[in-house]
Structure formats: C-alpha cells, structure tokens
Amino acid sequence: AVKLQGMKGLARHLGRLLGRRMPCHVPRPSCLFPVPLSDRVLRKRGFDQAEEIALGLGDVLGVPVRTGWLKKEVHTRPQRSLSLEARQSNVAGSFALQRREGLIHRSIGLVDDVTTTGATLATTARLLREAGAAEVTGFVVGRTPLLGRVSLV
C-alpha cells in the first residue's frame, strides 16, 4: 500500500510502530540512515518510503535521521524479481556516502521498507562501516522469504 498506492502517511506510522515494538536487546542507534531511492524512482513515487519509516522510527527513539547522507547514484532494476546473485550484483556500487562526519565509532540504524536477501542492507551497511561506523543495525518493516543465504556486515 505504501509503495504501490502512495500511502505516505502509513510509512511514517509503520516507523513509529517499529520503534514501539523494538526489543530491548536491540542496540539503540545514535542516528538513522534511510536506504535511499534512485532519483528516477523518487520523482515517480513522490516520496521515499524508507525515509518516511525512518522519520517515524526516529520520532519514537529520539534519534536524528540523516536524510541525504546516503545516495543511490545508479538507477537499478527492481529487486523483487531477481535471484540472490542477481540482487547482489544489481545493487553493488549503486550507493555512495555523501557525508562522513560524525560516523566514527557510532552505532548507526539503517532503515528500509522490506528485505528479502539483505543485499541492499549489506551493500549500504558496508559503506557506513568503511566510513568508520562501529556497528550498523538494519531496521525493516517487512521481510519476505529468503531466496538464499546472505551474510550481513
């Protein structure tokens, strides 16, 4: 409904629910990074669902959301119909970090709407770790059945 029917308000609400339901053993991040859409998809959809989820989650956790720090520089094919191997190669090299200050030794929350194989989360988490983040925890609203096994960073 959020992605395909444009229910932007629902995305922020889902982020708030995610924050309220977060188990106490999950590390509280110092800031949140939404996984960005490509400019082409953002123009077509009109909003970034991961950013809206992150804003709702940030409200509940009381942590800042770093929009615009992570950028999807390459428009890629939609992941939903791809195999595990194709998903990994599809997103490889498509993201870049625009700003790095304040990441060293920080706990970062990486927010996306849905994960299947973890390829997008792994790719973006690797960028944050390379920039000095101490740990990166993925926060997603939905998880679809895995097509294969993937190790997140």
Side-chain angles (χ1 to χ4, degrees), residues 46-123:
F47 68 97
D48 183 330
Q49 71 276 1
E51 182 177 315
E52 292 300 317
I53 293 166
L55 290 168
L57 180 59
D59 285 346
V60 171
L61 299 182
V63 298
V65 177
R66 303 292 187 218
T67 59
W69 286 40
L70 194 57
K71 181 166 176 53
K72 187 164 188 187
E73 293 188 320
V74 177
H75 178 73
T76 57
R77 295 182 0 206
Q79 296 278 83
R80 74 176 70 91
S81 62
L82 302 177
S83 69
L84 170 62
E85 295 78 19
R87 285 170 185 249
Q88 291 170 330
S89 63
N90 190 43
V91 295
S94 63
F95 295 95
L97 201 52
Q98 303 298 299
R99 296 175 63 182
R100 298 171 181 268
E101 62 272 5
L103 294 180
I104 306 248
H105 307 300
R106 294 297 205 104
S107 173
I108 306 297
L110 187 56
V111 182
D112 207 356
D113 57 346
V114 177
T115 189
T116 300
T117 63
T120 301
L121 288 174
T123 298

Side-chain angles (χ1 to χ4, degrees), residues 17-29 57 61 137-140:
L17 287 175
L18 184 62
R20 290 184 192 119
R21 302 282 314 247
M22 191 169 80
C24 60
H25 69 275
V26 174
R28 181 175 292 265
L57 180 59
L61 299 182
T137 303
F139 295 93
V140 297

